[in-house]
Amino acid sequence: QVVVTGGGACTAQIIGSNDGVNWENVGSAIAVTAGSVHGGLSTPGALVTRWAFWSAVLTTLSGTGATCTVSLSG
C-alpha cells in the first residue's frame, strides 16, 4: 500500500531480493497523488511470493510538506 499525505505526489518502486544484496524491480513503479491510496502490486502471484526480502525505493516526491508511506505485508 502506498499513501501520500500533506499534498503532492510520490512514486515508489517495490524491489525484491533472495540474498539481501542483489535487488530486482517487482512489477511497475506505483504512482500516487495526495488523497488517494494505491492498494498494491498488480504482479502475478508467482512473482510476488518468490522473494525472501522486500523493500521499496521512493523514486519521486513532490509537494511542500508531502510524505509518502509504503507498507509491505504478505
Side-chain angles (χ1 to χ4, degrees), residues 25-68:
N25 290 343
V26 178
S28 300
I30 301 168
V32 180
T33 57
S36 65
V37 174
H38 190 287
L41 296 173
S42 58
T43 304
L47 288 176
V48 172
T49 58
R50 74 177 216 194
W51 304 107
F53 304 97
W54 292 88
S55 190
V57 176
L58 186 62
T59 57
T60 63
L61 179 63
S62 64
T64 303
T67 61
C68 184

